[in-house]
Structure formats: structure tokens, C-alpha cells
Amino acid sequence: MTEKGNRKVGKILAVVAICAAVAGGGIGVATAPGWANPAPESEASTPVRNEPGLAAPVVKAVELGVTPTDAAKGVNPAVAPSVKAVNGKVKDVVLVPTAGGAPVKGSVSADGTTWTTLDPLQFNTAYSYSFTIVDEAGRETKKTQTFTTVESANEADAAVYPQNGAIVGSGQPIEIVFSEPVANKAAVEKAVKVTVSSKQPVAWHWYSDQRVRIRPEKFWASNSQVTVDMKLFGVDFGNSMIGNFNAKVQFKVGPQRLAVVDDTTKTMKVYFDGKLVKTAPVTLGDAEWRSPTGYAVIMEQERRSKFNAGSIGLKPGDKGYYPPLTVEYANRLTSSGVYVHQALESAWGAVGRYNVSHGCVGLLPADAAWFFNNMKSGDVVQTLNTGAPAVEPLEGYGDWNIPWAQYAKR
């Protein structure tokens, strides 16, 4: 073989040797330049990472959801604060009033991803959140946030009648008076549930943005139980006003007691659950002071009540004026001063014959005592044939003088 041929065979054998070394994992791999194909980062030196690598899977970044958001103001105290972690766990959550106080109780979900408060917040209070989030590789991140709840000026509450535990007559409507105007009436009605043991449906009638009454189509059934469950805490009343309480009121209704007063016959007939139990003569308002007609409800009872003509606009020298006096067995029907009571002794001769009062229903002493002892607050008095208009709803509880279709209309 010539020298040229020997050199050609030598080159071929050298190439084969290099390829064999590469295939066998020999030094040929190590001789490649470092800038051409850098080695992957060692798993031992970096056990976790959030960027893709060749030696270990990616640890997903934690996504965090916190309610309320950091530095939020005017937070509704009914909105339960929460911390939620996606691709991680929630740890060591502490929610406290910034000015000091006990931490707000909370609980962590079974899977460890969500913490939620168990207790309601307070109004007009700054809170501080501190919590630790752990990702899927066990790394911890600590965060702190703050927020402030609705100011006291934006709190709204309400007074309810009848009061809890009361026993009332069958004509007593439920009345709720709100401390602030209610613009969002639908939300308030939804938050108040009225349950009646007799299953009677009820309707709401708003007399103003702050006063509403609730009643059934007909008088409450005898001996029924009524529950008013108000879940108004956190309810948006509108105009930035937020309800600040929950309450449950229960009251019982007695027998259906109805007194029917007829100016034509000058008599009163009293019915208990539809049965006539008493008939008595009466005197009503004279031509200058006619007794209002329609339904009225006994608002309160006083064994003795002080009457003053000035309360109905009379002063000394006016026709019909009388000096201050005390009447017996007084049962108030209107806020303006219409009562069922014992007639003054000077009027006893008129009872059952003609009218001499300033609009009240006057009874003889024995009948007045019976009425006072047997009729109760919430019982109904219906007056007929006086020629005067019906009792105005807000003159007492004249709600029953509004037709049901109108009363129940939204």
C-alpha cells in the first residue's frame, strides 16, 4: 500500500474510534465545548423551583385570594373575610382589630386551602390581617393586609312591635320602625321572615321609608303564634346604610275579641271568637266631635287617665273646653285621643240615648269596668254609622280600614 493510502485508512480508523467512544459514553462527550450545550442545574443543589428545568418538575406559583382587599374601606361587617390559596395551603391566619382586642375566630377548610371567619365583624373598626401561605414545595410566604369596616354613621337598626313574648289581640299589626330611610325595600323584606302558626299569608305596607306594617288579610287567628325573624345584619338598606343587627321576635295572639259600636242604636256588642258575650249602651261624639268610623285597635289601657282639652286644641273660653280631669277605665284607640272609657258622671244620663262626648265611646261604670278587664291591647273596636271618616292608619292602627288588595300592593 502506498504512503497516501496508509494515511487515508488511518483517518477512517480515527473517526470510527471517536464515534465508538461517543456511543460507549466515553470521553468524547466531555470534550464538547461548554458554551455549546450547558449541563442542566443539579437537582441536589436546587430542590425546588418555579421555572422549568430538566431535572425536576415545576412547582406551581401560589395564587392568593384575600377578602377584603388590602386597604379597603367601608367594608360591610357581614362580608366574611377569607384567605384562599390556589396551589398552596393557608397557615397561621390572624385577624385582629388594629386598635387591639381579641382575634376574630376563623376556621380552615378540610383541604387546607381556605380560611374563613366564624364571627361577625364590628362596625367602624380597622382590622389587620396576617397570614402565612405555604406552596406545594413547603416554602412559606408571610403577608399582612388591613381594611376598615363601615362607619357608625352608616349603621341602621330598627324597633319592632309587638315585643318579644307579648300576648296581643287579633287586630295588632306588626310594626317595624327603622332608624334610617330604607331605599332598598326589597332587600329588607327578603331579610325578614314572618311565620304564622295558622299559616295565614301576610302583606307589607310601607307608610314611609322608615315605617312599615305587616298584617294578614283578616284578623290573626285565635291563639296563633307569630314569629318575626329579622336577619338584617349586613343588609344594604340603600344610601350607604347597612343593617347592624339580627333579632327574632315571637308573640302570641289571644282570642278574637271584637267590639261593634253602632251610633244608630247607641249600643256596643262584644264578640269573642264570633260569639256575642256582652251588650251595653254607649254615648259617642256629638255633632261637633263625631266619633271616627271603621276599625280601630286598642293601643294601650290605663285604669285612670288624665285628660286635657289642650291636647285636642281647645283652650279656656273655647266651645267644648273642659278643665283637666281624670277618666276611669281608659282604652286608647287613636293617638289623637279617642278612647273607650267610663263616661263622666254628668253624662251618665245620655248613655244609650244621645251623644255628648268629644269623639270617645262612653260607657256606664259597670260596663266600662267589664270592658277594661276583658278586652286587651290589640283587640278591635269597630264603629258604625257616625257619619265621620274612618280612623286613619297612622292615627293608631287603622290598617284594617285599607282594603286588602290595596294594602298588599307593592
Side-chain angles (χ1 to χ4, degrees):
M1 184 178 294
T2 66
E3 182 180 352
K4 184 177 180 182
N6 288 334
R7 288 199 301 270
K8 183 175 182 180
V9 171
K11 288 182 179 180
I12 293 172
L13 292 174
V15 172
V16 171
I18 291 172
C19 292
V22 172
I27 62 172
V29 174
T31 60
W35 53 264
N37 185 20
E41 192 175 2
S42 170
E43 177 65 18
S45 64
T46 309
V48 292
R49 57 170 153 263
N50 297 106
E51 297 298 327
L54 297 178
V58 173
V59 176
K60 295 180 180 178
V62 176
E63 297 177 17
L64 190 61
V66 182
T67 303
T69 57
D70 192 20
K73 297 184 182 299
V75 173
N76 189 329
V79 176
S82 65
V83 180
K84 181 176 179 62
V86 178
N87 305 324
K89 305 286 186 182
V90 178
K91 178 184 177 182
D92 300 331
V93 180
V94 179
L95 176 62
V96 293
T98 304
V104 179
K105 293 180 180 179
S107 66
V108 179
S109 61
D111 62 4
T113 63
T114 306
W115 179 92
T116 308
T117 52
L118 297 175
D119 294 339
L121 303 179
Q122 302 173 23
F123 278 80
N124 197 32
T125 303
Y127 285 91
S128 177
Y129 248 145
S130 62
F131 47 88
T132 302
I133 304 300
V134 183
D135 70 10
E136 293 175 346
R139 292 178 299 184
E140 294 185 352
T141 301
K142 297 182 182 296
K143 291 183 68 68
T144 299
Q145 294 187 189
T146 61
F147 64 88
T148 305
T149 56
V150 171
E151 296 180 357
S152 298
N154 296 95
E155 290 186 57
D157 57 19
V160 184
Y161 189 82
Q163 296 178 340
N164 190 46
I167 300 176
V168 300
S170 62
Q172 179 62 59
I174 300 165
E175 180 173 69
I176 306 176
V177 179
F178 297 92
S179 65
E180 308 296 333
V182 177
N184 194 356
K185 295 180 176 62
V188 168
E189 290 188 27
K190 184 178 179 180
V192 178
K193 182 179 181 181
V194 179
T195 305
V196 188
S197 61
S198 62
K199 308 301 181 183
Q200 291 173 270
V202 299
W204 292 56
H205 191 86
W206 291 85
Y207 289 99
S208 71
D209 287 345
Q210 290 182 251
R211 185 185 301 271
V212 67
R213 288 183 182 166
I214 305 167
R215 71 164 175 91
E217 181 176 2
K218 298 180 180 179
F219 303 133
W220 302 109
S222 294
N223 304 312
S224 55
Q225 186 86 26
V226 182
T227 301
V228 185
D229 190 2
M230 298 174 290
K231 298 188 182 301
L232 291 171
F233 185 82
V235 173
D236 186 350
F237 285 21
N239 298 322
S240 301
M241 304 308 300
I242 305 295
N244 68 356
F245 76 103
N246 293 328
K248 182 180 288 187
V249 172
Q250 294 181 314
F251 63 90
K252 186 176 181 180
V253 178
Q256 284 193 347
R257 291 180 285 243
L258 171 66
V260 180
V261 178
D262 191 338
D263 192 21
T264 301
T265 61
K266 303 292 187 295
T267 61
M268 170 191 285
K269 294 183 182 293
V270 182
Y271 300 86
F272 286 4
D273 288 329
K275 180 181 179 180
L276 180 63
V277 296
K278 179 75 173 177
T279 300
V282 298
T283 183
L284 301 173
D286 63 19
E288 297 291 328
W289 301 88
R290 295 187 186 277
S291 299
T293 56
Y295 293 105
V297 172
I298 297 175
M299 301 172 65
E300 61 178 346
Q301 294 180 296
E302 296 177 283
R303 176 62 183 81
R304 294 178 179 85
S305 182
K306 294 181 179 180
F307 278 27
N308 189 324
S311 65
I312 54 175
L314 297 176
K315 58 184 183 295
D318 289 343
K319 182 180 179 181
Y321 174 81
Y322 58 86
L325 52 86
T326 299
V327 300
E328 307 282 338
Y329 302 112
N331 308 266
R332 181 186 286 271
L333 300 182
T334 72
S335 55
S336 61
V338 176
Y339 283 77
V340 175
H341 63 81
Q342 177 181 307
L344 300 179
E345 186 173 359
S346 59
W348 290 355
V351 175
R353 298 173 59 202
Y354 53 91
N355 297 329
V356 295
S357 82
H358 286 68
C360 294
V361 179
L363 293 165
L364 294 172
D367 295 330
W370 184 95
F371 186 94
F372 185 88
N373 292 325
N374 288 276
M375 299 288 283
K376 303 299 178 186
S377 292
D379 288 340
V380 182
V381 177
Q382 182 184 23
T383 303
L384 307 173
N385 302 317
T386 69
V391 174
E392 292 290 332
L394 297 183
E395 258 290 278
Y397 295 105
D399 302 66
W400 304 100
N401 297 316
I402 301 176
W404 176 246
Q406 180 182 342
Y407 196 88
K409 186 177 181 180
R410 289 290 185 269

